[in-house]
Amino acid sequence: MRKWIVLCCFLISISGSFAQQLSIKEYQTAQALEFVTLMSQEPQAYAISDSAGQVDITKFKGAENVEFRLIGYQGITKSYEELQEKGFVLYLKPTQFSLNQVVVSATRWNQSQGSVPARVSTIPTKDIFLQNPQTAADLLGSSGEVFIQKSQQGGGSPMIRGFSANRLLYTIDGVRMNTAIFRSGNLQNVISLDPFSLENTEILFGPGAVIYGSDAIGAVMAFQTLKPQLSLKSKPSISGNTLIRYATANQEKTIHSDINFGWNKWALITSFSHNNYGDLKMGKYGPEEYLRPFYVETQNGQDLIINNENPRIQTPNGYSQINLMQKIRFRPSKKWDLQYGFHFSNTNNIPRFDRLIRLRNDLPGSAEWEYGPQKWLMNNLNITHNQVHHFYDQMSIRLAHQFFEESRIDRDFQDPERRIREENVNAFSANIDFIKSLNLKAKFYYGLEAIYNEVQSRGLIENIEAGSIEAGPARYPLSSWYSYAAYGVYQQDLSSHINFQIGLRFNQFGLDADFRNNLDFYPFPNSQASINKGALTGSLGVIYRPTEDWSISTLFSTGFRAPNVDDIGKVFDSEPGSVVIPNPNLNAEFAYNFEANLSRIFGSGMKLDFTVYHTTLDNALVRRNYQLNGQDSIIYAGELSRVQAIQNAAKARIYGFQTGFEIKFSRSLRLISRLNIQVGEEELDDGSQSPSRHAAPWYGLTRLTYSNKKLEAQVYLNYSGSRSHEDLPLEERGKVFLYAQDENGLPFSPGWITTNLKTSYHWTDSFSINIGLENITNRRYRPYSSGIVAPGRNLVVSGKMRF
C-alpha cells in the first residue's frame, strides 16, 4: 500500500511538471496559426503561439478571462476551464475588424491597443514575406505611414509627422538604438536591422518621452526580433525558414535562414542573412535632370570623367551586407524567463550618391565620397519575473551593450588628398520596468533607466599620390554622454467606457567633451566642455469607448531632445561653402503635442480611423550662422567656408492628419488605403518662416488584396505629392542637383505614383514562392529630399522553405 501511495505521488508530481499545450488553428482550413497573442489579467500572463500553432498555457491555469488576438482574426476570450473542455484546441475565425490588438511600444508591456490614447501602427510578420522589403527602412515605408528619404541606396531615413533623424527613436527588443552621435541630418542606421529577423514592428506616433526619454519626439519605432520558442512536448522541437531572393532593378541577391531549437526549458534561435546589391537602375519615364550621364573613375592615379553607357544606371551605389542574430532563452519556471540576444550587422563601403552627383564649376565636386563599413553589434540580456508582489506583478530587467562603427571617406575631384573620419561608440544601457495592478480598474507602470555612451573619433589624411597617411581633423571630440531617468504611468478605468492615464518622467542628462584631438587643426576657444541638466516631461490622455466598435481618444504629451555630441562637438561641411563647428552652450529642445484619434467600425465590412495633431518645437536645435574667434569664415577642406553652429535659436510647428480605411468586400477580398498630410514651419534667423525640411509632401498608399488558402495577391499604389519651388525649405532650394526644374528653371520636387503587384503562392505547407513587379509603369522619380533616384520597373522573385 505504501508503495502505491509513493508511486501515485510520483506520478502526480510528474504530470504537474509537464507543460499544458494549446493548439490554435484557423477555423475553416484547420491550419496552424502562428503569433497569436494570449493575455490575462488574473493571473498576469502573456504568451505567443509558435510556428506549429502551439502555446504553453500552464501559467494561465485558473484564469477566468484569457484574451486571444491575431491581426485578421476575431479576438475571443475564453476561460482556462473552457479550453480544457475543448481538449485544448482552439479555432479562430477570420475577422472583419478589431480595435483591440495587442501592442507593446506604448508602455513596454503588452496591452490592448484600446487602452492606449496614442496612435500605434503595427507591421505583422506575414506582411514582411509578402512585401519582400530589401531593408528595414523599406519595411517601414511599406506601412504607408512612414516617408523614407534615401541619400544613397544603402540608406533610409524615416520621416514621421514632420520629424526625422535624431528626433525619432529606434528600439530593438526594448533597447534604445539612438546614440550620442545621431545627427539632425538624414540617418541610415535603421538598415542595420534585418527585416527577416523581425517578429513584429510597431510605430508609436507622437512624443514617447515618458517611457523612452530623449529623442522620442516625432515617433518611436519599436522592433521586436524573433523570440526563441520552447518545446511544448517531451522531445525537442526544430523549426525554421530558408529564403532566397533576386531583384532585377539592382541585381539583388539575398539569402536568409533561421532555425529554432526548443527544449522544455531551453531554446535558441539563429538567424543569418546576406544581401548583395548592384548599382540601382532608375525608371524610363520622368525628369531628364535625374539621369546620370557620367561618373568619375580613377585610373593609374588620375581622376577621369567616364561617359555612362546607360544614364539610367546610378553608378556607383552598390553595396553588400551581412546580418547575424543568436538568441538563447532559459525559462527555469513559470515565473522566470531569461533571454540573451547577440546581434551583428556589417556592410562594405557605401557610396554616398547625393555627394557624387554634386557639381562644382560644371565638374564633379568629388572623385570619392562613401561611408566606410557600417558596423553594429549588440549584446542584450532580458530577465522577466511574473509574480504578484507588494511592489509589482511583473518585472523586466534589460541590460545591453552596443558597439557602433562608422566612417566617412571623401576626396575632391583631381585632388590627391583623401579625408578619412572614423567614429566608434560604445553604448551601455540598463532598464528596469515594473507593472502593478492596484485594483481591477487601475494599473501603475514605472521604471528606471541609465544610459552611458563613450565616443571615440579620429581623422586621417591620405595622399594617394605619395602614399602617405597623417593625422587629420576628427569629426567629434573625445566624449561621454549620459542619461539617468525615472518614470511612472498611472492608468485608470473611470467607467466601462472611459479610460484615463497620466505619465511623468524626470531625466538628468550630461556630456563631457574633450576637443584636444582637434586643437592642432582648428583654433577652438575652449579645449573642454561639459553639460549637466535636467528635463521633466509628461502625458495626459483620455479614451472614450461608447461601444466595442467605436473609440475616441485625446492626448497631450511633451517630449525633449537632450543635446548630444553631434550637436555640441561636430565639425563637418553641411553644404558647399559652409562649415559647422562646435558650440558647447546648448540646452534641450522641447516638444508640446496635442492629438485626437478616432476609430470606427461600420458593421462587419468597414473600418475608418482618423488622427489630427499639432506639435510645437521650442528652443529648437538648428544650424545658424556663427563666429569663431570673431571670424565668420574659415578655411575648411581647402575652401573658404561660412562658419555655422548648432544653436537653440528657433521655434517650429508641425500640424497635420493621418487617416485610413479598410473595406472587406468578402472573406477573400479587401481594400486598404492610407493618407498622411503634414505641414511644417520653421523660424529663420530674421524671424521669417520657412517650410520645415523634414515635413514631407503628402503621401500614402492604396492596396487591393485577394487571398485564399493557397494564394495571396495584391495590387497597390504608392504615391506622394509635389513640392513647388516656393514650398521647398530654404536650405533645400540650394540643392539644385537633387531636384527637377520647373518651367522657370527653378528646382522643385515633382509628385509621383507607382503601380505595383505582389503575389505569394503556397505550393505546399512548407514551400512558397513570391513574385512581385514593382513600379510597373517604369516611372522615373526621386522621393522628396532624396539623393538616389527610386528603382524603375523591378521584378522580385523569392522562394521560401519552412520546416
Side-chain angles (χ1 to χ4, degrees), residues 732-749:
E732 291 294 297
R733 296 177 192 175
K735 301 175 182 177
V736 295
F737 52 93
L738 295 184
Y739 294 100
Q741 294 181 6
D742 63 16
E743 62 274 10
N744 299 315
L746 299 174
F748 83 110
S749 180

Side-chain angles (χ1 to χ4, degrees), residues 443-723:
K443 291 182 182 178
F444 186 51
Y445 305 87
Y446 64 103
L448 302 171
E449 179 182 73
I451 300 170
Y452 179 81
N453 285 193
E454 184 178 81
V455 179
Q456 299 288 326
S457 182
R458 70 167 184 164
L460 300 171
I461 297 177
E462 178 184 3
N463 190 303
I464 63 171
E465 291 181 353
S468 61
I469 298 179
E470 61 184 33
R475 183 176 172 88
Y476 298 115
L478 305 178
S479 313
S480 60
W481 183 90
Y482 55 88
S483 170
Y484 308 107
Y487 77 89
V489 176
Y490 176 76
Q491 191 176 85
Q492 171 78 50
D493 290 331
L494 299 180
S495 72
S496 59
H497 301 295
I498 300 176
N499 177 277
F500 162 85
Q501 75 173 44
I502 185 170
L504 201 64
R505 178 189 182 103
F506 179 74
N507 229 110
Q508 189 72 23
F509 60 87
L511 181 152
D512 295 306
D514 188 339
F515 296 97
R516 284 176 290 185
N517 60 340
N518 266 334
L519 290 182
D520 291 339
F521 307 100
Y522 304 111
F524 294 148
N526 301 305
S527 61
Q528 294 181 321
S530 295
I531 288 179
N532 189 347
K533 298 182 179 181
L536 183 66
T537 54
S539 65
L540 177 64
V542 177
I543 305 167
Y544 174 55
R545 297 285 301 272
T547 69
E548 283 294 310
D549 297 334
W550 178 278
S551 176
I552 302 172
S553 66
T554 59
L555 175 67
F556 174 76
S557 55
T558 63
F560 79 102
R561 188 172 75 81
N564 62 18
V565 175
D566 186 83
D567 298 310
I568 289 177
K570 176 172 58 180
V571 179
F572 84 115
D573 55 324
S574 58
E575 57 191 16
S578 298
V579 60
V580 175
I581 68 168
N583 175 20
N585 301 311
L586 295 177
N587 295 302
E589 59 184 10
F590 285 86
Y592 304 92
N593 176 75
F594 175 80
E595 65 183 84
N597 302 281
L598 182 150
S599 296
R600 177 72 192 270
I601 295 174
F602 297 89
S604 60
M606 182 176 180
K607 177 184 176 182
L608 174 70
D609 64 80
F610 185 87
T611 298
V612 60
Y613 61 88
H614 184 284
T615 305
T616 300
L617 189 65
D618 192 23
N619 222 21
L621 293 162
V622 293
R623 192 169 64 235
R624 291 288 184 262
N625 290 338
Y626 200 60
Q627 288 191 344
L628 179 61
N629 297 329
Q631 297 180 318
D632 61 10
S633 299
I634 62 173
I635 299 296
Y636 177 77
E639 181 179 356
L640 183 66
S641 301
R642 182 68 170 88
V643 175
Q644 297 182 324
I646 302 296
Q647 303 173 54
N648 293 105
K651 287 187 177 182
R653 69 184 186 117
I654 309 290
Y655 55 93
F657 67 84
Q658 302 166 276
T659 187
F661 66 83
E662 181 175 355
I663 300 174
K664 290 197 174 182
F665 301 104
S666 67
R667 191 171 62 87
S668 301
L669 190 65
R670 60 181 176 143
L671 178 69
I672 298 175
S673 189
R674 299 228 55 88
L675 179 65
N676 309 267
I677 296 179
Q678 49 279 314
V679 178
E681 298 174 350
E682 184 178 301
E683 183 182 11
L684 300 178
D685 269 342
D686 59 3
S688 62
Q689 299 290 317
S690 171
S692 176
R693 176 187 173 193
H694 292 139
W698 63 265
Y699 64 94
L701 64 78
T702 300
R703 288 182 176 142
L704 180 64
T705 303
Y706 172 82
S707 60
N708 60 29
K709 184 177 179 180
K710 289 281 189 179
L711 174 69
E712 185 169 8
Q714 188 176 94
V715 178
Y716 64 97
L717 305 176
N718 284 331
Y719 37 84
S720 174
S722 63
R723 183 64 60 86

